[in-house]
Amino acid sequence: MMSNTSLIASDIEAYLKVHENKDMLRVLTCGSVDDGKSTLIGRLLFDSKMIFEDQMAAIEKDSKRFNTTDEAFDLALLVDGLQSEREQGITIDVAYRYFSTEQRKFIIADTPGHEQYTRNMATGASTCDLAIILIDARHGVQVQTRRHSFICSKLGIKHVVIAINKMDAVDYDQNVYQKIKQEYREFATDLAFEDVRFVPISALKGDNVVNESEAMSWYPGSTLLKLLNTVSVEKDRNSAFRFQVQYVNRPNLDFRGFCGTIASGDIRVGDTVVTLPSGKESKVKSIVTFDGELQKASAGMAITFTLADEVDVSRGDMLVRPHEQPNSSAHFSADVVWMTEESLCLDREYVIKVGSKSVYGYVDAINYKVDVNTLQQQEASQLALNEIGNCHFAVTEPVQFDAYNDNRSTGAFIVIDRLTNVTVGAGMIGNVLDGEKVKAHQYSEFEVEMNALVRKHFPHWDAKKIV
């Protein structure tokens, strides 16, 4: 294990304290089918000495059983745990693995490359700081490579490592590496990446993953792990305080707390906050956690607030600082990744869930959809499975949000089918829209209830407006 073993032996508490304070990096692996994503993660775990002996024995046994690598040790099985994944030698669902080095801790998400499971890839990418986009050196840039790159860009990932894999299959040819590198650079010119690195690797053989490759001495750069250890993502994180209430805790007459996870920024006891949408001000009376009260809390911490004043706060409300208030609107534009076989339709009512707040809404207009091969914008009247487009949304009441590029936590939302309760789309909010510039459709309480009632008894009427 790539940790300070001498400190573990001499002072385990000191080691745990050092480990606790390490920086955390969330990493995504993506790319086309069979580019070696699962094998790469297996190689990182294996060469970092993060695999226990019983795991090794089980993988050796399963490698022979499923025979996906001619009975050789199959590192991909460390990640692909589903029976169907092991039988077919593919990744279907997102798998999360944890490992650490002396520099930082990692949570790495292995996502599927098949177009059928693009929605799973988008789910995995939504929380990551960095993406490793794999490219098979034998095939170069594929359609899924472009689609996954575009989704990573839209989901706000600023740092990417382009890992050109299976260099052993092309005899470690430098010209192949340079050609693919140039091809990807030309494609990614208009993507919103701030930091793009390239590294030639062989996940199967271990070249340039953790250890430097003797077969590619022509490559002057760092290994993949060194790049992961040194990339800086702190400046990407928003500092404005955002807290979305998930639950109101009222165990007795003497306590009323507001539970949730801090989306961004930090807060101290005594700080003034505004509750939205009511706009009422109060001061933080206490910050309560399972381990006791704190004087300060920061992004990522699950806490319970109590306020100095009796303010009406419900699930879905947001607490912010008075001088750092977010947008509040019932009309906004957003990029949408559509995730279901049934197309997104204009004027069909969906549940729009922004953070912990759910409202009814519909797509007022589809501005365009994007061709992932050329990144060209095309006219569209609907979005099909795995298509990505820019849409106008109208919802029944104002919601509080930031632009996704400013704050990924408060600028994201999901689209839920009202009839099946299935998540059908994921959205990234762009701009607030002037309600006068979009089609004026005012929801009444009667209309909302009537639409729900009719669709319950006449589901074949589906997306049509009833009243």
Side-chain angles (χ1 to χ4, degrees):
M1 185 179 295
M2 297 184 65
S3 300
N4 195 329
T5 54
S6 60
L7 186 59
I8 295 176
S10 60
D11 191 343
I12 186 63
E13 290 188 1
Y15 164 76
L16 292 175
K17 190 65 176 178
V18 170
H19 185 72
E20 179 183 358
N21 293 326
K22 287 181 183 177
D23 180 38
M24 172 70 76
L25 183 72
R26 293 180 176 271
V27 180
L28 169 81
T29 60
C30 59
S32 191
V33 178
D34 202 31
D35 280 350
K37 297 176 288 297
S38 299
T39 302
L40 174 62
I41 296 178
R43 174 59 64 183
L44 280 169
L45 296 173
F46 182 83
D47 286 357
S48 300
K49 306 297 186 294
M50 295 296 294
I51 307 173
F52 296 106
E53 291 183 2
D54 59 337
Q55 288 179 300
M56 290 283 291
I59 295 303
E60 288 178 359
K61 180 180 178 181
D62 287 345
S63 296
K64 295 178 180 179
R65 176 186 173 191
F66 294 104
N67 196 31
T68 53
T69 54
D70 294 327
E71 296 191 4
F73 188 80
D74 188 357
L75 291 169
L77 297 182
L78 286 164
V79 184
D80 293 335
L82 297 177
Q83 181 78 6
S84 55
E85 290 179 324
R86 295 188 167 199
E87 290 173 348
Q88 301 177 67
I90 64 172
T91 300
I92 295 175
D93 201 1
V94 183
Y96 295 93
R97 291 295 180 269
Y98 165 88
F99 75 101
S100 67
T101 65
E102 291 187 358
Q103 288 78 24
R104 66 188 353 160
K105 298 179 287 188
F106 299 90
I107 295 177
I108 190 163
D110 180 32
T111 61
H114 287 66
E115 182 177 353
Q116 180 181 353
Y117 305 114
T118 298
R119 56 184 176 271
N120 294 5
M121 175 268 164
T123 300
S126 62
T127 59
C128 290
D129 305 303
L130 178 146
I132 303 173
I133 302 174
L134 279 89
I135 299 176
D136 190 327
R138 300 170 300 172
H139 306 310
V141 178
Q142 301 293 299
V143 173
Q144 275 298 82
T145 312
R146 300 173 189 271
R147 178 178 283 110
H148 284 189
S149 297
F150 183 67
I151 291 174
C152 286
S153 173
K154 284 298 181 182
L155 286 172
I157 295 177
K158 305 297 184 184
H159 306 271
V160 292
V161 176
I162 310 303
I164 300 174
N165 191 24
K166 303 187 181 182
M167 289 297 297
D168 56 302
V170 295
D171 297 324
Y172 302 101
D173 189 339
Q174 183 179 4
N175 291 328
V176 172
Y177 167 70
Q178 294 293 349
K179 181 180 178 181
I180 296 174
K181 181 178 177 180
Q182 180 63 27
E183 182 183 5
Y184 188 87
R185 280 197 182 278
E186 291 175 357
F187 159 74
T189 301
D190 296 326
L191 297 181
F193 298 139
E194 294 181 355
D195 178 23
V196 181
R197 315 282 183 92
F198 293 86
V199 55
I201 67 170
S202 170
L204 185 64
K205 304 294 185 180
D207 294 284
N208 281 340
V209 179
V210 174
N211 304 309
E212 294 182 359
S213 171
E214 295 181 0
M216 290 184 283
S217 57
W218 45 263
Y219 170 68
S222 303
T223 64
L224 177 63
L225 185 61
K226 186 174 181 180
L227 291 175
L228 296 180
N229 273 325
T230 55
V231 67
S232 176
V233 297
E234 285 75 17
K235 65 182 181 64
D236 302 331
R237 293 163 183 168
N238 194 287
S239 60
F241 174 68
R242 299 288 186 265
F243 179 82
Q244 295 169 310
V245 177
Q246 299 174 6
Y247 175 70
V248 178
N249 187 9
R250 181 73 166 171
N252 55 58
L253 296 176
D254 300 321
F255 186 91
R256 184 162 67 102
F258 310 109
C259 309
T261 300
I262 298 178
S264 62
D266 54 53
I267 196 73
R268 294 177 180 273
V269 173
D271 286 353
T272 301
V273 293
V274 175
T275 63
L276 300 176
S278 67
K280 301 294 185 182
E281 287 193 10
S282 185
K283 291 185 180 296
V284 177
K285 181 179 179 181
S286 64
I287 302 173
V288 183
T289 71
F290 179 80
D291 297 317
E293 295 191 9
L294 302 175
Q295 289 299 307
K296 178 184 177 181
S298 55
M301 297 180 65
I303 53 101
T304 297
F305 276 117
T306 64
L307 299 179
D309 304 293
E310 290 295 331
V311 179
D312 180 16
V313 180
S314 303
R315 173 178 168 82
D317 290 355
M318 184 182 290
L319 273 64
V320 301
R321 297 183 188 275
H323 61 285
E324 295 177 337
Q325 296 198 27
N327 299 313
S328 181
S329 177
H331 301 278
F332 53 85
S333 67
D335 294 314
V336 178
V337 181
W338 199 246
M339 298 180 170
T340 188
E341 298 284 351
E342 187 176 359
S343 299
L344 181 153
C345 298
L346 294 175
D347 293 332
R348 177 175 181 176
E349 285 184 339
Y350 297 98
V351 175
I352 310 298
K353 187 173 183 181
V354 184
S356 55
K357 185 169 186 173
S358 297
V359 294
Y360 293 123
Y362 66 98
V363 175
D364 177 80
I366 298 177
N367 299 322
Y368 58 83
K369 67 178 181 181
V370 179
D371 184 330
V372 296
N373 286 303
T374 64
L375 300 185
Q376 295 298 311
Q377 299 176 2
Q378 303 174 342
E379 291 186 3
S381 58
Q382 61 182 23
L383 293 181
L385 174 66
N386 294 330
E387 288 189 330
I388 303 166
N390 184 271
C391 306
H392 287 177
F393 281 83
V395 294
T396 52
E397 61 181 278
V399 292
Q400 289 69 49
F401 58 86
D402 297 286
Y404 187 85
N405 288 336
D406 296 332
N407 193 322
R408 294 170 65 186
S409 297
T410 56
F413 65 93
I414 58 174
V415 183
I416 302 171
D417 187 281
R418 289 184 59 185
L419 195 62
T420 63
N421 205 36
V422 171
T423 299
V424 294
M428 293 76 70
I429 299 175
N431 301 310
V432 177
L433 297 177
D434 183 349
E436 296 179 357
K437 294 182 180 180
V438 298
K439 182 174 59 179
H441 178 90
Q442 299 296 325
Y443 287 92
S444 67
E445 184 177 350
F446 168 77
E447 181 180 20
V448 171
E449 293 179 356
M450 184 59 69
N451 284 344
L453 182 63
V454 172
R455 287 196 181 93
K456 178 179 178 181
H457 295 288
F458 301 97
H460 59 283
W461 285 8
D462 199 27
K464 307 303 181 184
K465 291 285 181 189
I466 308 303
V467 294

